[in-house]
Amino acid sequence: MRKIVNCKQSNCSQKTNALRIISTALAILLSISPTDFAGAQTEAPPSEESAGESDEQKPPERIDIQPLAEDEEIGSRLKKILVATEWFVDPQVRVEEGVVFLTGEAKSPEHKEWATKLSGNTQDVVAVANRMKVTKPSTWDFTPAWQEIDNLRRNSIQTLPVLLVALVVLLLFWFATKFVAALSRRIAARRTSNSLLREVVAKAVSIPVLLLGIYLALRVSGLTRLAATVLGGTGLLGIVLGIAFRDIAENFLASILLSIQRPFRTGDLIIVEGRKGFVQSVTTRGTTIMTLDGNHVQIPNSTIYKSVIENITANPNQRQTFVVGVDYEDSLEDVQATILSVLKEHPTVLAKPEPLVLVDELAASTVNLRIYFWLDISKHDGLKVRSSLIRLVKKALVDGGFTLPDEAREVIFPKGIPIRMLEERETENRDRKVSPSTDERDQPERTTTQSEGSLTSEAEEIEQQAKNSRLPESGENLLAD
C-alpha cells in the first residue's frame, strides 16, 4: 500500500534523513549497496535501435523512484520513459493518489499494452488507466516498406562476406569437378576407346563432387535446410526424371550398350524390324540406316537393342537360291550336271562353299530343282547375280534339249476346237517371208546384260548417296573409331 505522509516540510526532511541512516546501516549489515535502498533503481528504457528491432520487448518488472515517491515524481519519470521510446505521440501522464492516467497516441496496440505494464510495475502505483488511442496508419504510409528495405540492405551487407566465402568454395569445387572429369577420361581412355563410355564415366565421377561443393556452399552461407533439401531431393528428382523421361533414358542406356558391344559397324547392311539398310550412324537417341531405296530410317536404340539384328555384312559370303522346273521325261542327272557347269563357270559364284543343284519337288507338270550358290556380297550384288544365273541356266537347258514346261492348265473351247491343215500353216510362213537367221543356240550367252548392269555390290553407290544426303539427326557417331 502506498503510504500517504502528511507532515510539515521540516518534519518530513528529518524523517527522510533518519530513514536514510537506517537504510545505510542495514545495507552494511546485509552487505547490500546503499543505493539499492535509497538510489533510484530504474530499468533502463529501450534505446532507439532496440525499440525499432522488437515491438514485443517486455517492460521492467519494477521501477523504483524513491522509498516514498510523490505523484509528480511518478508522472515525470513515466513520461520521460514514454518519450524516450518514440513509440508514442504526445504522451501525457497524470498521477492522482497512486493511479496513473495515460493519454496520447500509441503507434500500435502492442505499444499501448507495453505502456500499461510499464506503469503498473512502477513503485507506489496502485492502478493504471490507459486512455491512449492507437494511431491508425495512413493508406499512403510507406514507412514499413522503407523500414523493410533498410532491413534488407543491412542484412545484405551483413551476409555479403558469407556469400563471398560460399562463392569461393563453389568455385574451388567447380575446378575440382573439371579436374576429376579430365582425370577420369584419361583413365577410361586406357581401358576403352569408346568416347561415349568415357563421357559417362567422367560424369558419374564428377557430378558427386559438384553436388558436394553445392552442399558445402549452402552450409557456409547459412542455408542448412536448403542444403539438406538439395541432397535429399537429388534421389527423389532422379526418380521423377526417370519416370518422366523413361524412353529417353532407355535409349541412352541402349546407345551405351550398343557402342560397347558393337553388333554392327558403320556401313554394315543390317535388317532390324523388317527394315533393311546400310548403317549410317548411331547417336544417343537412335540408329540411322539408309535403305536400298535411298531413304533414311531412324530406329530408336532401345528397339535396336531388344530386337533381332540380322547383320548381312558381318559375313561377306552369302548364299542365294532359285528354283527351275524341267519335264518329267528329262534326265534329272543330266539337268543337274548342266546347271552345275553353269554355276561353276560363272565368275561371281564361289567355289567354296560349293554350289548345289538339288531335286526339290515333284510338281503337277514339272520336276522342280532348287539351285544353291554362294557369292561375296561385299563385291557383288545378290539380286543381279541371281538374275544372271537364272538367265544362263535357262539358256543352257534349252540348248541341251531339255524341256521347261509351265504348269498344266485346263482350256475350255465353248465353240469347239478349230482345226487347221499343216499345209496352210506352211503357206502362211512362206507368205511372211521370214528371212533365215542364225540359230540363237549357236550364240554364246553373256554373263551380264545391259539390263542387269554391273554385278558389283551397291554398297559403294549407297555410301555415295549417303554422303550427298543430309543426316536427319545431328550428333556424334558412337560407332566412329
Side-chain angles (χ1 to χ4, degrees):
M1 290 292 295
R2 169 181 164 83
K3 295 180 181 180
I4 303 175
V5 181
N6 296 321
C7 61
K8 295 182 180 180
Q9 184 175 2
S10 61
N11 294 334
C12 290
S13 59
Q14 293 177 359
K15 292 180 178 180
T16 301
N17 294 330
L19 288 174
R20 289 180 178 176
I21 295 172
I22 294 172
S23 63
T24 304
L26 290 175
I28 294 173
L29 293 175
L30 299 176
S31 299
I32 300 176
S33 175
T35 57
D36 293 339
F37 290 87
Q41 301 297 321
T42 305
E43 186 74 20
S47 61
E48 179 179 357
E49 294 183 357
S50 62
E53 294 177 355
S54 174
D55 292 342
E56 298 179 359
Q57 184 175 356
K58 295 182 180 180
E61 296 181 357
R62 183 176 179 81
I63 299 178
D64 294 334
I65 308 302
Q66 284 183 0
L68 295 177
E70 298 293 336
D71 292 340
E72 292 80 4
E73 295 175 351
I74 295 173
S76 175
R77 182 61 173 165
L78 289 176
K79 183 175 180 180
K80 292 179 180 180
I81 295 174
L82 296 179
V83 172
T85 60
E86 296 184 356
W87 291 348
F88 307 93
V89 178
D90 191 19
Q92 299 295 330
V93 181
R94 181 171 57 88
V95 182
E96 294 181 3
E97 300 297 332
V99 179
V100 178
F101 297 90
L102 301 176
T103 57
E105 293 184 2
K107 294 184 178 180
S108 67
E110 291 79 9
H111 296 156
K112 181 179 179 180
E113 182 67 21
W114 185 87
T116 302
K117 292 181 180 180
L118 177 70
S119 302
N121 294 336
T122 304
Q123 176 187 354
D124 294 335
V125 173
V126 178
V128 178
N130 194 340
R131 299 174 181 175
M132 287 185 175
K133 297 180 180 179
V134 178
T135 303
K136 294 182 179 180
S138 174
T139 307
W140 300 98
D141 185 13
F142 296 100
T143 303
W146 294 119
Q147 291 179 353
E148 188 66 25
I149 293 175
D150 185 66
N151 292 334
L152 290 175
R153 178 184 61 81
R154 292 182 179 181
N155 293 334
S156 300
I157 295 175
Q158 292 175 357
T159 57
L160 184 59
V162 179
L163 293 178
L164 291 177
V165 174
L167 182 60
V168 171
V169 172
L170 188 60
L171 288 176
L172 290 177
F173 273 88
W174 173 262
F175 289 112
T177 302
K178 294 291 185 182
F179 174 76
V180 170
L183 183 62
S184 302
R185 291 189 187 95
R186 184 176 301 176
I187 296 175
R190 301 175 183 175
R191 303 282 182 173
T192 178
S193 60
N194 190 289
S195 60
L196 177 63
L197 187 59
R198 293 197 298 267
E199 288 297 326
V200 171
V201 172
K203 289 182 179 179
V205 176
S206 60
I207 287 179
V209 177
L210 181 61
L211 289 177
L212 179 61
I214 295 174
Y215 173 75
L216 293 178
L218 293 176
R219 287 294 301 268
V220 169
S221 60
L223 302 176
T224 306
R225 183 175 299 178
L226 181 59
T229 303
V230 169
L231 291 184
T234 303
L236 180 61
L237 180 62
I239 295 175
V240 173
L241 293 179
I243 296 175
F245 301 97
R246 182 182 60 183
D247 294 338
I248 297 177
E250 188 177 15
N251 289 327
F252 180 75
L253 293 177
S255 65
I256 296 176
L257 296 175
L258 289 175
S259 62
I260 295 174
Q261 300 175 0
R262 294 205 173 191
F264 46 77
R265 299 178 180 178
T266 303
D268 284 357
L269 181 62
I270 64 172
I271 300 177
V272 179
E273 292 288 321
R275 305 280 186 174
K276 182 178 180 180
F278 292 90
V279 177
Q280 301 301 307
S281 64
V282 176
T283 62
T284 56
R285 194 194 75 85
T287 300
T288 303
I289 65 173
M290 176 171 279
T291 64
L292 301 180
D293 298 331
N295 299 322
H296 279 106
V297 177
Q298 288 181 291
I299 305 176
N301 287 331
S302 58
T303 303
I304 293 282
Y305 189 76
K306 293 184 291 185
S307 301
V308 177
I309 303 174
E310 183 178 352
N311 194 330
I312 300 175
T313 314
N315 180 17
N317 296 337
Q318 185 183 71
R319 189 176 73 171
Q320 295 277 351
T321 180
F322 62 92
V323 177
V324 174
V326 297
D327 192 85
Y328 273 87
E329 300 297 330
D330 294 333
S331 173
L332 296 182
E333 185 176 356
D334 295 340
V335 171
Q336 289 176 317
T338 302
I339 297 176
L340 188 61
S341 64
V342 175
L343 296 176
K344 291 181 178 181
E345 293 175 359
H346 202 279
T348 63
V349 177
L350 300 177
K352 292 183 180 181
E354 61 180 356
L356 299 174
V357 181
L358 305 178
V359 179
D360 183 61
E361 181 185 11
L362 298 175
S365 59
T366 60
V367 178
N368 294 334
L369 293 89
R370 185 171 294 274
I371 294 91
Y372 298 93
F373 63 95
W374 290 81
L375 74 155
D376 188 352
I377 60 173
S378 63
K379 299 179 181 179
H380 306 97
D381 184 81
L383 295 177
K384 296 178 181 179
V385 172
R386 185 173 180 270
S387 172
S388 174
L389 286 174
I390 292 176
R391 178 173 50 81
L392 293 175
V393 168
K394 180 257 182 185
K395 177 72 167 53
L397 291 177
V398 172
D399 293 346
F402 301 103
T403 307
L404 302 176
D406 58 356
E407 296 293 335
R409 296 182 179 87
E410 180 181 1
V411 182
I412 299 176
F413 299 92
K415 297 183 179 180
I417 300 175
I419 299 175
R420 300 177 62 183
M421 300 303 293
L422 183 59
E423 292 78 3
E424 296 179 359
R425 183 175 180 181
E426 293 177 355
T427 305
E428 290 180 358
N429 290 336
R430 286 194 300 268
D431 294 340
R432 292 176 183 172
K433 298 179 180 180
V434 179
S435 60
S437 59
T438 305
D439 191 357
E440 294 181 358
R441 289 178 294 182
D442 296 337
Q443 297 179 358
E445 189 75 9
R446 292 180 298 174
T447 303
T448 179
T449 63
Q450 184 177 0
S451 300
E452 293 170 347
S454 175
L455 300 181
T456 57
S457 175
E458 293 182 344
E460 296 181 359
E461 183 177 350
I462 295 296
E463 183 179 357
Q464 186 63 34
Q465 294 292 331
K467 292 180 180 179
N468 297 333
S469 63
R470 176 183 59 85
L471 286 177
E473 181 181 8
S474 60
E476 183 182 0
N477 186 8
L478 305 181
L479 299 180
D481 296 330

